[in-house]
Structures are given as structure tokens and as C-alpha cells.
Amino acid sequence: MHRLCVTRAGASVLPCQIALRPLNTSVKYEFSFYDASVEYYALKPMRSMAMGYVLDYWKTVSPDRILASARYLHTELPVRLARPIRAMQTLPFIVLTNPNIRDVFDHYWETFQELRSFPPIETLEQEAEYSRLLERGINIHKDVVTTLSMGVREIRRLPASINLDFDALSNFIDKFLAERVSRRVLAEQHLAAHNPRHGWRGIVNMACSAYEHVRSCAEKVAGICEQAYGVAPLVQIEGDLDTTFPYISMHLNYALFELLKNAFRAVVENHAFSSETRCGPLPLCGHDLPPIVVTICKGEDVTIIIGDKGGGISKESMAQIWTYGFTTYDFNEHIKDGSNAAVGVVNLSAQAQATQQMAGYGYGLPMARVYAKYMGGDVKVVSMPGYGTNVYLTIKPVREQCERILI
């Protein structure tokens, strides 16, 4: 059993649940790569809102406010969807021929057509139907980051003679994902109004606990790590444990989950799977591994430091850690002949899934930074090759960034 080296406990924050009737999915649109409507909407100006206005707006939830919000989204979301579609149309042809990239494009185009074709919203019944459309779109697009990253990894294996500008591609992905975050915040903020919660403004938790989020994410990662490797390091949480701040919990959970996964994997692979122990006895429990130390620091900003003794990152890898699709993981190195030395006889399918989840597709770290930067924060990595790594997640509380954060 894994455990954390902190005695405090509390309920983890659960994502908002929307109870809406199923949407009729029979509507289909004839596809046209150069549809003129994309250009028309992409050239329209966006109507951004300050986060402070959004928080004030949802202090009180009423039918009139929900209806006004739906009308805003009805005109705004087609504009915001048309821009990434238009940007994808300008990518090199060989990029768009990749099945995963094309799949992302198809999903965006279909959703764009559905949103722009929805009739003007005049009644609460129409708003309910529109909300079901939004919820369906969110569900369809939930795997976009994974699909996009798989496509990018495949593209990076193309022959060098093709001469693709990968720096330009990375810049495109950064902007693409940041815009995706903004659209989802708008849509999820509206949907959350159907199920208001005490202490929340839509999807913003007004008293987000740094300790509880670290604890919850560490427990989830430890469970996956044990299933993948048969062992997981302990986690020590220290510092300003009572720190709370207004923040989008889903964003913080994502960033912490990805950063902790990297730390867990580094510790296990550097100690349990090092060259000295690969053929010898392996640790039987987390006490045999150096702990991961998470320090919560409350100052002008909130900084969460994740420190591990997992051997650090090489200079060659450090130059690529922010590159989408880059990973140091070799799937075949740890799973051979249907077994894993660390866990003995296990269900290979379950173990393989856990191992792949620990490794990811090379987008977790850069995506964590996208989420942090969206709210005015950042992610910085300091590696000590041969020893370990410290990751600094800087959080700008929403209340102090109200007028600077535009969504």
C-alpha cells in the first residue's frame, strides 16, 4: 500500500457534474476543407472578458444571466473555433496528412459547423439544447491533446529531408492549446451555472487548497505507479500547508498530476531499474526509495516545488523537455516477454496501460506550463544531473489577476 508522509487529510475537489438530457447526434455536415465560412468567422474580432468580470457575473446565478451567457457564447465560440481551424489549414500539407492531426481537424470543423448553425437563443429551452451541444463538444474534444501529441510524435519521425520547421510547429501547438484552454473555460464556466456550488464561481474554486490538491494527485499517481512498476516512492508535503487561493481546480490538478508523474517515474527508474539493480533484488516498498518532497510556499504568489532524487535530466534531454511529443520513455525496455521484474506475474494489459499512463505521450510537461501561463503563472525545471530535479510551479491566484487574465 502506498501512503503519504502527511497526517492531515481532507476531501478532494470533484469536478462539476452537469445533468442534461442526451443530445441528438444525427446531424451531419458535408465536409469542405476550404469552407468559406471558416475564413469569414476567423476574421471577426474576439470579444474577450476579464476574469474579474466573469467572477462578479457569476456571484448570482439566475435564468436571465444563464440566457445572456448562452447568447454571448453563441456568437463568440464560432469565432474562436474558426481561428485554429484556419491556422491548421495553413500548416504544411504533409502535417495535415497525418491521420491524428487530420482527426483533430475534423473534430474542430464538425463542432464549428454545429455551433455556427445553431439558431439564435431566445428561450431557456433553446439554452438547454445549446448547453447539451456544448457538453457534447467538450466530450468529443477531451482527447484532442493526446491525439495531437501522437500526431506530432509521428511527424517528428519523418525523414529530415522533408525539412519541416519544428520550431514553427511547436509555436503553433502552444498557441493552439492556449486557445483551447480559453474556449473550454468559457464553455465550462457556462455549464457550471446549471449546477452551482457553495464556495465556487462556476469552475473557479474560491478557496483552493494547495495541500489537498497535492495530496489527492500524489495518491492517484502513486496508485498508477504501483500498478506499473510494483513500487512507488513516498511523498512528503511540507511548507505552508494551510494555503488557499481562488483558482481553477481542474487546471491545478492537471499540472500537479503531470509533474508528479515525472517525479515518480524518475525515482523508480533511477533506483528500482538502475543498472546496478536491474538483475538483482528490487525495493519491496516505497521506504526503500528516496521520497519526493513537495514544498508549498505562500508569498506574493503561491509556489509549489516538487523535488525528487531521480537522477536529474541530461543536458541533451533538457534542451527538448518543452517539445511536444518528446519523451525519454522506452516502452519495450520495461515490459518484455509478458512480465515485469518489479511486479512478477501480473495482468499485462492492466500493467501496460498503467505504464503508458505514467510515461504519457510527451505533452504533459509543456501542457502543464500552458495551464499555468494561462492564469499568469509558470513552470520552471531545474535539473541536477546525477542527483535529481526540482520543478517550480508558480501559481497566480485568480483574485489578484482578475483584470489581467482575459478569457
Side-chain angles (χ1 to χ4, degrees):
M1 293 289 292
H2 63 268
R3 64 182 181 84
L4 305 180
C5 296
V6 175
T7 58
R8 299 177 52 182
S12 58
V13 179
L14 297 175
C16 178
Q17 299 294 321
I18 310 297
L20 295 170
R21 292 186 291 108
L23 181 76
N24 182 355
T25 59
S26 61
V27 178
K28 297 295 180 183
Y29 297 92
E30 183 178 354
F31 177 78
S32 174
F33 189 81
Y34 290 106
D35 190 289
S37 60
V38 172
E39 185 77 12
Y40 172 76
Y41 280 93
L43 292 175
K44 284 188 173 185
M46 292 193 309
R47 295 185 298 155
S48 299
M49 295 187 297
M51 180 62 79
Y53 173 80
V54 175
L55 294 181
D56 289 340
Y57 186 84
W58 291 116
K59 278 183 180 179
T60 303
V61 177
S62 68
D64 287 343
R65 286 176 179 259
I66 291 176
L67 194 57
S69 172
R71 288 169 177 164
Y72 164 75
L73 295 179
H74 180 261
T75 59
E76 184 68 13
L77 287 181
V79 174
R80 298 200 182 200
L81 267 173
R83 294 190 173 203
I85 293 173
R86 185 69 188 95
M88 292 184 76
Q89 288 176 332
T90 63
L91 289 172
F93 177 75
I94 195 168
V95 174
L96 280 172
T97 58
N98 178 273
N100 287 303
I101 303 297
R102 181 56 184 261
D103 190 46
V104 172
F105 180 90
D106 289 346
H107 282 317
Y108 269 63
W109 192 87
E110 179 76 16
T111 303
F112 166 74
Q113 294 293 351
E114 290 179 339
L115 290 176
R116 81 177 186 91
S117 301
F118 198 90
I121 301 172
E122 304 295 340
T123 67
L124 288 174
E125 289 73 18
Q126 289 176 315
E127 184 281 325
E129 183 70 20
Y130 183 72
S131 290
R132 288 192 289 275
L133 179 62
L134 290 181
E135 186 180 23
R136 175 178 177 272
I138 288 175
N139 290 333
I140 289 175
H141 291 255
K142 63 182 172 56
D143 295 325
V144 158
V145 178
T146 302
T147 306
L148 183 67
S149 183
M150 290 172 63
V152 171
R153 288 185 64 187
E154 292 166 357
I155 290 167
R156 289 187 177 278
R157 291 198 291 264
L158 292 173
S161 58
I162 294 176
N163 199 28
L164 278 176
D165 187 343
F166 287 107
D167 288 337
L169 183 60
S170 291
N171 291 336
F172 161 80
I173 298 172
D174 266 331
K175 184 177 180 181
F176 182 91
L177 294 178
E179 291 176 345
R180 175 181 182 270
V181 171
S182 182
R183 286 191 305 274
R184 290 181 70 91
V185 167
L186 284 175
E188 289 168 348
Q189 192 76 4
H190 174 79
L191 292 175
H194 293 84
N195 186 24
R197 291 179 287 175
H198 178 71
W200 292 64
R201 303 276 177 82
I203 59 173
V204 179
N205 183 353
M206 300 304 291
C208 192
S209 168
Y211 166 77
E212 289 299 337
H213 279 72
V214 171
R215 181 193 62 80
S216 176
C217 289
E219 287 183 343
K220 291 176 184 177
V221 175
I224 299 170
C225 187
E226 285 186 350
Q227 188 173 22
Y229 299 116
V231 65
L234 301 182
V235 175
Q236 297 175 358
I237 309 176
E238 57 188 34
D240 301 315
L241 303 182
D242 295 325
T243 300
T244 62
F245 49 90
Y247 206 73
I248 299 177
S249 289
M250 290 180 289
H251 293 187
L252 182 56
N253 278 334
Y254 183 93
L256 287 172
F257 184 79
E258 294 298 332
L259 299 179
L260 284 167
K261 275 201 310 180
N262 291 343
F264 271 74
R265 187 164 73 90
V267 170
V268 172
E269 293 188 356
N270 187 64
H271 294 274
F273 292 101
S274 66
S275 58
E276 291 81 5
T277 63
R278 187 178 300 278
C279 299
L282 293 170
L284 299 178
C285 67
H287 291 285
D288 298 312
L289 299 172
I292 295 169
V293 180
V294 180
T295 307
I296 300 170
C297 308
K298 183 179 181 181
E300 182 178 347
D301 303 321
V302 176
T303 302
I304 300 177
I305 307 170
I306 301 174
D308 68 67
K309 297 178 181 178
I313 306 170
S314 68
K315 291 183 178 179
E316 293 77 11
S317 294
M318 274 295 292
Q320 302 183 71
I321 60 172
W322 303 114
T323 300
Y324 292 95
F326 171 76
T327 177
T328 58
Y329 179 75
D330 183 354
F331 185 79
N332 293 321
E333 184 177 352
H334 299 297
I335 298 182
K336 297 178 180 178
D337 302 323
S339 65
N340 184 307
V343 295
V345 179
V346 297
N347 183 314
L348 180 60
S349 177
Q351 180 201 350
Q353 291 177 10
T355 307
Q356 183 62 70
Q357 191 173 2
M358 284 296 295
Y361 293 97
Y363 64 85
L365 184 59
M367 191 65 203
R369 187 171 67 168
V370 167
Y371 276 116
K373 284 191 170 184
Y374 176 75
M375 303 299 291
D378 204 354
V379 175
K380 295 187 181 299
V381 178
V382 177
S383 173
M384 296 154 280
Y387 180 78
T389 303
N390 283 348
V391 179
Y392 298 81
L393 171 61
T394 303
I395 299 168
K396 297 279 188 180
V398 170
R399 184 180 293 120
E400 297 167 13
Q401 295 287 306
C402 278
E403 301 309 317
R404 281 181 274 182
I405 299 175
L406 297 178
I407 61 173

